[in-house]
Amino acid sequence: MNVVYKNANEPIEARVKDLLSRMTLKEKLGQMTQIERSVATPAAIRDLCIGSVLSGGGSKPFNNATSADWADMVDGLQKGAIDSRLGIPIFYGSDAVHGNNNVYGTTIFPHNVGLGATRDPDLVEKIGAATALETRASGVQYAFAPCIAVCKDPRWGRCYESYGEDTQLVRKMTSLVTGLQGKPPQDHPYGYPYVAGRNNVMASAKHYVGDGGTDKGKNEGNTIIDYENLEKIHMLPYQDCISKGVCTVMASYSSWNGTKLHSHRYLLTDILKEKLGFKGIVISDWEALDRFHSPHGSNYRSAVLSAVNAGVDMVMVPFRYELFLEDLSYLVESGEISMSRIDDAVERILRVKFAAKLFEYPMSDRSLLDIVGCKQHRELAREAVRKSLVLLKNGKDPRKPFLPLNKNAKKILVAGKHADDLGYQCGGWTATWEGTSGRITVGTTILDAVKEAIGNNNTEVIYEENPTTESLSGQDFSYAIVAVGEAPYVESGGDNSDLTIPFNGEELLKLVASESGIPTLGILISGRPLVLEASVVEALDGLVAGWLPGSEGNGITDVIFGDYEFHGKLPVSWFKSVDQLPMDSQQNLYDPLFPIGYGLKCKN
Ligand SMILES: OC[C@@H]1[C@@H](O)[C@H](O)[C@@H](O)c2nc(-c3ccccc3)cn21
């Protein structure tokens, strides 16, 4: 007998209609529920018809779990879903935001702020395609990416997740969606979710809307702006993602003029779904409903009512899913949430699952495992690092450029906390949620890369994390490479109104460059512009913004030793003082240290 929803030759909408008609209320509500892997079991997924499972930042089967270990985990949970009465598969979500970064041994690409500096949407699309392959290799079919925030204030703890402060730049970088999901055919219906096949993942445009425009850059804060500017500055990139067939849009924790996005029916339904024609899933952020009321998690039933009626289709619960289901069921039974709202949500979820071909290919494809961290992907990441670096200063005398550095110099000093720390150069959302110091995965630090670039020359390379004038005196260095910057941070943990270089980074630059008088290249490893005193810039012979380059540190040496030309342009304004924030390049008062778009070449 032809069971329409099980027939891949049937049109998606026919499959959706057929399956929806067969579902009980309990099964429909289960599909609207996304739970965290730490509380997920195959039995719960089967019995409650759970729609999705996720890994919160860094949540993994065990430390240093490989892609194969992840695929075992995801497949085990998927079996529970397949065993359910109607056999509706889950999708498994993870923050693959700069490669499949939760998983050990994967290629870690530069964070978005560095990709914004490349101004190269084709490169970003290729990064999306490579990320999709490495993500699917781990069994994960859904990436919580791209973040298309337009970051208007570097004090925001998530600034490095934004491609930059300019809307048009962020719009170009939505090419990541095409890389992740694949390119829809010409006749693909506008706003309809699209996933090309098993080598692609569902994407999530986030965080809708205005997350990068909050007052003083406060994370999860309030974006105070009229609708016209909300649309012009923060909403246009969502139109680009919708036109590319993005499968999901994640609501923002933040508020617009005092109303939380997660309960904003006008923006989630009237605008996103009706005016912009988005036909995929609106998913909540993590415990967003628990944050509606104080204390955290209180008055949960009213939060469920507000969010679902506003247009949230799937709730990233992620732990208290029995309570969520109980409250949601009560609200539907009482008529406070209509059956048509539930059916709209479930239709969208099923539509994405059929579009992503999850019914046909529910299990992981182990043939992809060889591609994880492969040379081709690492070369792509290395190219992205090269193109992301921004040369801010090259020589104290324009007629005597300092870069490119000489590989055959007699003696080179490499210094600074960020010169030999893979975790620091990867930043947040790597291995763990916050990110951490040390050899957290497979990769090349700046020091590794310098040694590799120098090769067997007679050049002596000396590394000192924290040199002193005493340790440097009489050493006769040809020049120094000093890498300083930020320790990894994430979300509100990164909110910062001080923005000086941590770990006394400026003092170290001055110590090497002026007190010890060594010709010095400063490299800033940071998610954003940081305070640079004029005296520090003056003391340096060269200065490079390295952003958060990821695992392929040799992309840095490729340009500082001149094997490749610098390419990067600032995606954000570099302030002189935090008192100037937020900066607006369109204003007459605009007076940055380095303007958005600034970037030198070696051979000008
Ligand atoms: O990891 C899933 C999502 C991610 O995709 C969103 O961009 C981000 O806002 C987010 N914050 C948390 C999160 C926040 C606090 C504690 C634990 C987890 C979880 N998540």
Side-chain angles (χ1 to χ4, degrees):
M1 184 184 88
N2 176 34
V3 178
V4 171
Y5 83 89
K6 289 184 178 178
N7 183 344
N9 298 319
E10 291 287 349
I12 288 179
E13 288 308 302
R15 299 178 78 182
V16 168
K17 187 166 179 286
D18 176 56
L19 180 48
L20 191 73
S21 71
R22 298 167 186 267
M23 293 172 76
T24 64
L25 175 61
K26 180 182 173 189
E27 289 164 336
K28 290 180 180 178
L29 304 189
Q31 283 298 299
M32 295 173 65
T33 311
Q34 185 181 62
I35 66 176
E36 218 285 329
R37 55 156 288 282
S38 56
V39 297
T41 63
I45 292 167
R46 181 195 62 225
D47 299 342
L48 297 172
C49 200
I50 294 294
S52 174
V53 181
L54 86 146
S55 279
S59 176
K60 58 192 74 165
F62 45 83
N63 251 357
N64 293 339
T66 64
S67 297
D69 300 320
W70 275 72
D72 291 343
M73 169 186 72
V74 175
D75 284 351
L77 296 170
Q78 185 70 288
K79 284 197 181 76
I82 301 302
D83 287 349
S84 62
R85 185 178 76 89
L86 293 165
I88 305 173
I90 59 165
F91 45 73
Y92 194 103
S94 179
D95 292 275
V97 294
H98 63 140
N100 193 21
N101 38 254
N102 275 328
V103 181
Y104 184 82
T106 59
T107 309
I108 306 296
F109 293 92
H111 267 297
N112 286 355
V113 65
L115 298 183
T118 71
R119 300 297 197 284
D120 187 341
D122 294 338
L123 172 70
V124 167
E125 182 176 334
K126 287 178 191 151
I127 289 172
T131 298
L133 282 163
E134 298 201 20
T135 301
R136 283 307 291 252
S138 67
V140 171
Q141 311 99 340
Y142 177 26
F144 298 126
C147 175
I148 52 172
V150 179
C151 175
K152 287 300 188 183
D153 193 320
R155 290 173 290 189
W156 186 35
R158 307 194 71 165
C159 50
Y160 65 86
E161 297 182 63
S162 163
Y163 293 106
E165 70 186 40
D166 176 71
T167 302
Q168 297 313 317
L169 170 58
V170 174
R171 296 189 68 184
K172 281 168 64 174
M173 298 303 166
T174 58
S175 59
L176 187 87
V177 172
T178 307
L180 288 174
Q181 299 190 159
K183 188 174 179 58
Q186 276 295 340
D187 61 351
H188 188 72
Y190 184 85
Y192 205 87
Y194 178 78
V195 180
R198 300 184 74 181
N199 292 345
N200 300 96
V201 293
M202 298 157 47
S204 174
K206 71 184 187 181
H207 308 80
Y208 181 85
V209 61
D211 52 345
T214 58
D215 184 37
K216 298 186 182 59
K218 182 173 173 1
N219 188 48
E220 304 180 19
N222 190 22
T223 302
I224 304 164
I225 195 171
D226 61 28
Y227 179 78
E228 183 195 351
N229 282 300
L230 180 74
E231 188 173 75
K232 191 173 67 175
I233 297 168
H234 299 285
M235 206 174 281
L236 288 176
Y238 286 89
Q239 290 184 33
D240 299 301
C241 290
I242 292 166
S243 69
K244 292 174 169 90
V246 72
C247 286
T248 76
V249 169
M250 188 184 295
S252 178
Y253 284 129
S254 58
S255 299
W256 176 47
N257 295 337
T259 302
K260 284 185 175 295
L261 260 296
H262 274 83
S263 63
H264 213 295
R265 182 185 167 81
Y266 175 67
L267 290 177
L268 290 177
T269 296
D270 301 351
I271 298 297
L272 179 61
K273 292 182 175 177
E274 287 166 17
K275 182 181 176 198
L276 301 185
F278 176 58
K279 304 280 187 307
I281 301 167
V282 173
I283 187 167
S284 83
D285 205 335
W286 177 284
E287 290 191 335
L289 279 57
D290 300 71
R291 300 179 186 200
F292 274 32
H293 304 291
S294 181
H296 180 91
S298 61
N299 213 350
Y300 191 62
R301 184 169 292 175
S302 108
V304 173
L305 176 64
S306 303
V308 173
N309 274 348
V312 171
D313 302 309
M314 178 176 273
V315 174
M316 187 188 294
V317 176
F319 300 121
R320 304 193 301 168
Y321 59 89
E322 296 99 333
L323 175 63
F324 171 69
L325 286 166
E326 182 190 322
D327 284 347
L328 185 55
S329 181
Y330 174 87
L331 291 164
V332 176
E333 304 282 8
S334 70
E336 292 174 84
I337 295 179
S338 68
M339 211 46 236
S340 63
R341 175 70 273 270
I342 298 299
D343 285 346
D344 171 57
V346 179
E347 277 170 13
R348 289 168 179 270
I349 293 164
L350 299 180
R351 178 176 298 136
V352 167
K353 290 187 173 184
F354 285 123
K357 306 170 181 70
L358 294 178
F359 284 78
E360 287 68 53
Y361 306 110
M363 312 312 280
S364 64
D365 175 359
R366 302 302 169 110
S367 71
L368 295 174
L369 286 171
D370 292 343
I371 213 160
V372 176
C374 67
K375 182 167 172 39
Q376 186 189 347
H377 288 181
R378 291 187 188 277
E379 284 303 311
L380 178 64
R382 181 170 178 167
E383 176 191 357
V385 173
R386 283 198 295 269
K387 291 183 171 178
S388 67
L389 263 56
V390 180
L391 181 56
L392 298 173
K393 180 176 182 181
N394 187 14
K396 290 179 176 174
D397 173 346
R399 291 161 300 176
K400 294 180 192 151
F402 182 58
L403 299 174
L405 299 176
N406 176 5
K407 285 182 185 177
N408 299 302
K410 184 168 162 291
K411 192 173 182 182
I412 302 172
L413 169 69
V414 178
K417 211 168 178 51
H418 293 66
D420 192 32
D421 192 318
L422 196 57
Y424 276 16
Q425 75 190 45
C426 287
W429 296 106
T430 318
T432 62
W433 182 46
E434 305 87 345
T436 183
S437 167
R439 284 276 170 191
I440 57 168
T441 188
V442 175
T444 308
T445 66
I446 296 171
L447 179 63
D448 297 336
V450 169
K451 290 177 177 172
E452 209 175 286
I454 297 298
N456 302 322
N457 301 358
N458 294 327
T459 303
E460 193 182 358
V461 176
I462 304 289
Y463 171 61
E464 281 199 60
E465 181 183 321
N466 262 316
T468 63
T469 42
E470 293 69 31
S471 73
L472 295 181
S473 66
Q475 288 254 23
D476 190 24
F477 286 109
S478 312
Y479 58 79
I481 300 168
V482 184
V484 296
E486 296 184 297
Y489 50 85
V490 72
E491 302 195 41
S492 300
D495 281 4
N496 180 335
S497 53
D498 169 61
L499 295 181
T500 52
I501 304 176
F503 310 111
N504 295 319
E506 279 200 292
E507 286 67 24
L508 179 60
L509 292 170
K510 276 195 269 192
L511 182 147
V512 178
S514 52
E515 289 155 45
S516 304
I518 302 169
T520 299
L521 168 66
I523 301 176
L524 254 185
I525 300 298
S526 67
R528 55 196 156 191
L530 297 173
V531 172
L532 284 168
E533 296 299 338
S535 60
V536 174
V537 179
E538 214 171 291
L540 291 169
D541 299 86
L543 177 62
V544 168
W547 314 113
L548 298 171
S551 57
E552 307 312 306
N554 30 37
I556 295 174
T557 46
D558 283 345
V559 284
I560 65 175
F561 286 116
D563 297 331
Y564 289 83
E565 177 55 279
F566 279 87
H567 170 91
K569 303 280 179 212
L570 286 181
V572 291
S573 306
W574 204 291
F575 52 85
K576 285 176 179 164
S577 154
V578 291
D579 300 335
Q580 295 176 299
L581 297 177
M583 297 201 82
D584 182 348
S585 58
Q586 307 306 310
Q587 296 294 321
N588 296 334
L589 294 176
Y590 186 65
D591 175 29
L593 181 61
F594 302 107
I596 182 171
Y598 185 87
L600 301 175
K601 294 205 179 290
C602 256
K603 302 170 183 80
N604 270 322

